[in-house]
Amino acid sequence: MALPSVWSAVRVAILSVSVVGLLSMRLVGAGQDSGSVIPAESRPCVDCHAFEFMQRALQDLKKTAYNLDTR
């Protein structure tokens, strides 16, 4: 008999967290100043960030493989 009340409590909790999350995202988006935007010319492109991320990931994989080989 306790299961239906547990499930209803879980549903209410999930709904509450979703509503609070949506409201906080909306507040964060409204609070950004338009004067603090960095011009596109001075920002690195998305491909550059992805390339750097992949380079670091490959270096980590190489280190991990080396450590496993030495064991």
Side-chain angles (χ1 to χ4, degrees):
M1 292 287 187
L3 281 178
S5 64
V6 170
W7 283 114
S8 64
V10 168
R11 279 190 240 158
V12 169
I14 290 174
L15 182 62
S16 302
V17 168
S18 300
V19 169
V20 169
L22 288 173
L23 288 175
S24 66
M25 285 176 49
R26 207 166 168 189
L27 290 174
V28 167
Q32 292 180 347
D33 295 332
S34 62
S36 64
V37 175
I38 300 171
E41 295 82 23
S42 63
R43 283 183 287 170
C45 64
V46 174
D47 291 336
C48 299
H49 283 299
F51 182 74
E52 291 171 0
F53 175 79
M54 290 303 294
Q55 276 187 324
R56 279 184 264 133
L58 284 173
Q59 288 173 357
D60 291 344
L61 284 173
K62 286 179 185 177
K63 287 178 187 175
T64 304
Y66 178 77
N67 288 338
L68 290 173
D69 286 341
T70 57
R71 286 184 187 178

